Amino acid sequence: MTDPLLVDRSGDTVIWTLNRPESRNPISDDEMITALEAAVTAVNRDRAVRAVILTAAGSAFSAGGNVKDMRDRRGMFGGSPAEMRQGYRHGIQRIPLALYDCEVPTIAAVNGPAIGAGCDLATMCDLRIASTTATFAESFAKLGIIPGDGGAWLLPRAIGMARASEMAFTGEPIDARTAWEWGLVSRVVEPDDLLPAAHDLARRISANPPQVVRMTKRLLREGQHQSLGSLLELSAAMQAVAQHTDDHCEAVTAMLERRAPVFTGR
């Protein structure tokens, strides 16, 4: 069997490609879950990585859960209610936890339909760019189930409660233009331009000091649930660290000398 997730590298950007195109890249099997977890761990340990692009092979981004496994009650979809609860907790729910803790900015390059957990996978990334062929559906209700992978937490933070409710209650898809109008994606491009656009965005992120970008991402994450006072305290501590880096000194010097900075990650 081929690798469920292809991992490539272009400079300081890592590209993850979901690699189950024959089944529209489901993410509910243990091999894919484990591969995504391992990919995040590798990125967090590699200080030279400054951005990640997540995309998929074939015509679909991800069909989410494997519907045939649901029908046959296999894998995480099998067993008693108590066993299924554990199947979710120790199965697909590992993906949002892993991606939430990914230290570098993640860009979803959505090349086609992102359905159910596939839609939620896109929202697990910090930024999203869509091909004109992409569609997004929070389609769990159509299968008589609820968003079991964190979609009820992720989607409202991406597009607001009213629009998230519309998507979740109807289960109906939205096209790429609507996704852009609703703020689910920041850009819509032609299919051939998708990966170049994602790499361009990654380069713009990578142009900044990598330690500072990682700390900024953590602050944005913590700001989703901390009080203002707690976040200000954390910001003060991180700012003290940032202002003692070589990259901070280089940034200030380069600005005063009116030249392009050269950041080393130190």
Side-chain angles (χ1 to χ4, degrees):
M1 183 177 288
T2 58
D3 292 335
L5 184 74
L6 302 179
V7 179
D8 298 300
R9 187 159 182 163
S10 176
D12 47 30
T13 299
V14 169
I15 304 95
W16 299 335
T17 304
L18 305 178
N19 191 37
R20 292 282 187 263
E22 70 285 350
S23 51
R24 297 170 66 82
N25 300 310
I27 59 171
S28 56
D29 63 274
D30 192 65
E31 291 79 8
M32 182 68 80
I33 295 164
T34 299
L36 284 166
E37 274 188 324
V40 171
T41 298
V43 162
N44 286 347
R45 291 177 177 174
D46 189 343
R47 309 308 296 180
V49 178
R50 301 191 183 190
V52 168
I53 296 170
L54 172 62
T55 191
S59 60
F61 180 69
S62 175
N66 189 315
V67 178
K68 291 182 179 179
D69 285 349
M70 289 184 198
R71 178 197 63 193
D72 298 336
R73 300 297 176 112
R74 290 194 305 241
M76 60 178 282
F77 305 115
S80 68
E83 290 169 332
M84 291 181 74
R85 174 176 173 267
Q86 294 302 320
Y88 271 85
R89 291 181 64 242
H90 299 294
I92 199 169
Q93 290 182 358
R94 289 155 49 198
I95 298 177
L97 292 173
L99 285 174
Y100 189 83
D101 286 333
C102 186
E103 295 180 7
V104 304
T106 52
I107 303 164
V110 185
N111 55 297
I115 308 301
C119 178
D120 292 340
L121 179 65
T123 66
M124 294 173 203
C125 295
D126 301 299
L127 300 160
R128 290 163 291 280
I129 298 175
S131 162
T132 53
T133 60
T135 57
F136 299 84
E138 191 75 351
S139 56
F140 300 94
K142 295 288 189 183
L143 289 173
I145 58 176
I146 53 91
D149 60 340
W153 191 90
L154 294 157
L155 192 60
R157 283 167 166 77
I159 61 175
M161 184 60 75
R163 284 170 170 161
S165 297
E166 181 176 336
M167 289 186 69
F169 296 161
T170 67
E172 296 170 355
I174 59 173
D175 60 18
R177 179 167 182 81
T178 302
W180 175 74
E181 291 172 347
W182 287 8
L184 184 56
V185 302
S186 59
R187 197 178 317 169
V188 177
V189 298
E190 293 299 323
D192 289 345
D193 297 328
L194 181 63
L195 284 179
H199 279 281
D200 177 67
L201 181 54
R203 281 192 294 271
R204 289 160 54 202
I205 293 169
S206 299
N208 295 310
Q211 290 190 68
V212 168
V213 172
R214 289 190 181 213
M215 285 191 287
T216 299
K217 175 168 177 174
R218 176 49 56 186
L219 282 177
L220 290 171
R221 288 282 196 248
E222 294 299 321
Q224 292 183 304
H225 59 82
Q226 284 197 11
S227 67
L228 175 59
S230 296
L231 189 72
L232 288 173
E233 185 64 33
L234 181 59
S235 300
M238 285 191 171
Q239 191 73 293
V241 173
Q243 289 186 300
H244 276 78
T245 61
D246 292 346
D247 281 346
H248 166 65
C249 295
E250 168 64 8
V252 172
T253 300
M255 182 173 290
L256 293 175
E257 294 178 354
R258 298 184 178 182
R259 62 172 174 81
V262 179
F263 298 125
T264 62
R266 296 193 295 270

